[in-house]
Amino acid sequence: MGLYSMALPDIGEGIAEAELEEWSVKVGDIVAEDDVLCAVMTDKAVVEVPTPVSGKVVWVAGVAGDRLAIGTPLVQIEIEGEGNLEGSAQVAEPTAATKLDAPAVAEIPTPLTTPPAAPTVKHPLGAGEKPLAAPSVRKAAQDAGIDLRLVQGTGPAHKITHDDLASYIAHGPTVGASTARRVEGGTDIKIKGMRRKIADKMALSKARIPHITVVEEIDVTDLETLRTQLNTSYAQDKGKLTILPFVMAAIVKGVAEQPEMNATYDDEAGIIHQSHPVHIGIAVQTPNGLTVPVVRHAEAANLWANAAEMTRLSSAARSGKAKREELSGSTVTITSLGPLGAIATTPIINHPEVAIVGVNKMAVRPMWDGSAFQPRKMMNISCSFDHRVIDGWDAAVFVQRLKSLLETPALLFIEV
């Protein structure tokens, strides 16, 4: 018998570490060649890691949520024949290099047992039940006309003290005291997987990018009329259009006039890279958190092509099947909460980009046309910019250009 040690393999160019998403095996399991050992998450995607050998798992590095450096030990497997470790009978001890943020363990821990219940808290007593209190407290309650059965006791065995009685007299009974019980403690939830990637990304963006957000109100009545007509005429053959493909078309025209918006900023090198192609990131909510698949070359596609690609990528992201290259390389991003959206938002820029366009909820509002109020479909857009490289004036010009394009949708289809 020999001992085979497998390191975490190189899973992508430029990736130095990965997070353990979940284990498919535990210590003691028998595995066959090409069986999946675990899934790891990078900044780009979730990747399954197979075993190159068959045998018995005798050691694993870390638990879900731990970050491991590429090339460090991942598992050890007892195999037939000669292994790749000298002194094969010895299981490797975890080292400081094995993981990046938590101790490695020899096996996957068993599920936690049910936590002990919070201490029982006394609730108001029913008729005939006698509260626990000293005679002096009873006398004081009687003099004050207080029914001690309604008073919460904080003393041993919920004994009512003078302080409890004084608090009741000062503040009255606890709201809902006749039916509710107080609870103690809480639940600690480890941030891991996609949620940690989101947290790291947001912290990086807010820490390094001074944001400026411009909110503008847009009359999308004509745009919605056009969208309805196009869907009525072409949805069966070309697919249904949401408002986002029109926003994408407006961005394409807007950044053609202001290329500094379609850019990334390497603040360490002091270089702004203005991109000629327009690769639009679409923020998508998935079961594991927010992710941003990328519609590439939006400038070269029409409304339906961009809509179809956006639908495909969103579906892949939600099912966890999006490829690494489909989740990177955006040059400007759109974020939308759809019908749940607010009146206005303050989007966080998708680092290292310099601009993000937030689409807010659409609603019919009475708008003054100069002689009377008219019902119009209105929608706010909230656009954030990297104030290090985008001046407020330029940000306002860009937002006004988006406004004019979306309020007069015919301009989206005119080449000048």
Side-chain angles (χ1 to χ4, degrees), residues 364-410:
V364 176
R365 303 174 195 160
M367 305 301 294
W368 183 255
D369 67 359
S371 58
F373 284 102
Q374 301 291 339
R376 305 292 292 180
K377 292 182 179 178
M378 306 299 295
M379 180 187 77
N380 291 349
I381 58 172
S382 304
C383 303
S384 294
F385 305 89
D386 187 336
H387 213 352
R388 297 173 298 180
V389 295
I390 303 295
D391 293 332
W393 174 266
D394 294 326
V397 169
F398 181 71
V399 172
Q400 289 302 314
R401 182 55 172 156
L402 295 183
K403 175 181 172 72
S404 65
L405 290 166
L406 294 173
E407 288 191 335
T408 311

Side-chain angles (χ1 to χ4, degrees), residues 94-109:
T95 66
T98 300
K99 43 170 277 330
L100 301 176
D101 63 353
V105 295
E107 59 181 274
I108 303 300

Side-chain angles (χ1 to χ4, degrees), residues 27 46 50 168-169 241 256 334 358:
V27 170
V46 175
Y168 182 90
I169 293 172
L241 295 172
I334 298 174

Side-chain angles (χ1 to χ4, degrees), residues 19-322:
E19 178 179 321
L20 281 170
E21 176 74 5
E22 63 177 356
W23 283 100
S24 301
V25 299
K26 62 181 181 300
V27 170
D29 283 355
I30 303 299
V31 295
E33 185 177 349
D34 293 330
D35 281 353
V36 174
L37 296 172
C38 64
V40 297
M41 175 178 288
T42 70
D43 290 335
K44 309 302 182 185
V46 175
V47 179
E48 293 182 338
V49 179
T51 172
V53 297
S54 300
K56 178 181 178 181
V57 178
V58 297
W59 178 86
V60 297
V63 297
D66 288 349
R67 287 184 289 187
L68 306 178
I70 300 299
T72 57
L74 179 66
V75 295
Q76 291 181 5
I77 301 174
E78 189 176 64
I79 63 173
E80 295 289 343
E82 186 177 352
N84 63 357
L85 288 180
E86 295 183 5
S88 293
Q90 299 295 322
V91 175
E93 290 295 329
T95 66
T98 300
K99 43 170 277 330
L100 301 176
D101 63 353
V105 295
E107 59 181 274
I108 303 300
T110 56
L112 295 175
T113 57
T114 302
T120 302
V121 178
K122 175 180 174 293
H123 59 289
L125 301 177
E129 294 184 81
K130 187 176 180 180
L132 183 62
S136 60
V137 175
R138 294 183 187 281
K139 178 64 167 62
Q142 185 178 10
D143 292 343
I146 302 297
D147 185 349
L148 281 180
R149 290 176 302 177
L150 300 177
V151 181
Q152 296 280 355
T154 61
H158 309 303
K159 184 177 180 178
I160 300 171
T161 67
H162 282 285
D163 288 341
D164 296 331
L165 181 59
S167 177
Y168 182 90
I169 293 172
H171 305 292
T174 304
V175 175
S178 60
T179 57
R181 298 187 182 191
R182 292 187 300 174
V183 295
E184 305 292 343
T187 302
D188 293 331
I189 301 173
K190 184 175 182 179
I191 298 295
K192 61 181 182 179
M194 182 67 74
R195 176 50 53 194
R196 182 158 69 182
K197 296 298 181 186
I198 295 171
D200 291 345
K201 188 80 170 179
M202 293 298 101
L204 176 66
S205 181
K206 290 297 288 184
R208 300 180 67 166
I209 300 177
H211 286 57
I212 177 175
T213 300
V214 180
V215 180
E216 181 58 273
E217 186 177 52
I218 298 177
D219 185 338
V220 292
T221 306
D222 293 341
L223 177 59
E224 280 296 279
T225 299
L226 174 61
R227 188 175 72 88
T228 300
Q229 291 174 342
L230 292 175
N231 282 336
T232 300
S233 301
Y234 302 107
Q236 186 172 357
D237 297 327
K238 297 185 176 183
K240 186 177 180 180
L241 295 172
T242 67
I243 197 170
L244 292 187
F246 294 92
V247 177
M248 295 168 68
I251 289 175
V252 167
K253 280 191 169 290
V255 301
E257 299 167 8
Q258 290 180 273
E260 67 270 20
M261 302 296 175
N262 189 47
T264 55
Y265 178 38
D266 184 344
D267 49 5
E268 292 184 353
I271 295 175
I272 301 170
H273 175 70
Q274 293 183 2
S275 175
H276 298 305
V278 185
H279 302 320
I280 300 180
I282 306 293
V284 175
Q285 187 65 38
T286 75
N288 294 320
L290 192 68
T291 188
V292 185
V294 182
V295 177
R296 298 184 180 278
H297 290 288
E299 80 283 355
N302 61 26
L303 290 174
W304 286 276
N306 279 332
E309 179 67 355
M310 181 180 65
T311 299
R312 183 190 72 81
L313 289 168
S314 298
S315 177
R318 292 189 181 100
S319 63
K321 297 180 180 179

